[in-house]
Amino acid sequence: MSDFPHAFHSDTSGRARYWGLPDPETQAEFYRDVTIKRLLAWLIDVVLIVAICILVSLLTLGVGFFLWGIIYLAVSFIYRVTTLSSKSATLGMRLTAIELRTHRGQRFDRGTAALHTLGYFVAMSTFVLQAISIVMMFTTPRGQGLGDMVLGTAAVNRAAGQ
């Protein structure tokens, strides 16, 4: 069941069809400034991941600096999957008061978090895919990137007190 009680839409037959994400037209407050908040959250997360990588590299007596790319990818993947599956938001997202939700309005489970992270890695691996994803975040009604569209997920503003 969705955490958004008013997330209902009508289909072409006039019957109410359930969709768990808030409607961007009637509940625009859930999507207001989310794209900019996602950018800020991403910057915070990158700083945290780099700090963890430096710590790991120092703990390996400097050998980790020679394997920086592998360590960065591993730490980033584990960080994102762990934080997304625990509260449906990375630490950066929590600081900017946004969270990711499935098309049913539910928080991420471990599988969805892993798929979302994999989609993020695929988009980040190619400039064209990343550019498309950024353009989509600024132009789609729910501010969804390429990975969000594939999975049917969206970032929303977190309600106060959650």
Side-chain angles (χ1 to χ4, degrees), residues 3-22:
D3 291 333
F4 306 107
H6 306 310
F8 288 89
H9 299 279
S10 296
D11 62 13
T12 55
S13 66
R15 295 186 314 251
R17 180 175 56 89
Y18 184 75
W19 181 260
L21 290 171

Side-chain angles (χ1 to χ4, degrees), residues 24-25 31-32 34-35 38 132-150 153-155:
E25 291 181 22
Y31 303 103
R32 191 167 292 122
V34 166
T35 302
R38 283 181 88 162
I132 291 169
S133 190
I134 291 169
V135 168
M136 288 175 69
M137 283 185 207
F138 280 105
T139 58
T140 59
R142 288 188 169 92
Q144 295 167 293
L146 192 56
D148 293 319
M149 288 296 247
V150 170
T153 59

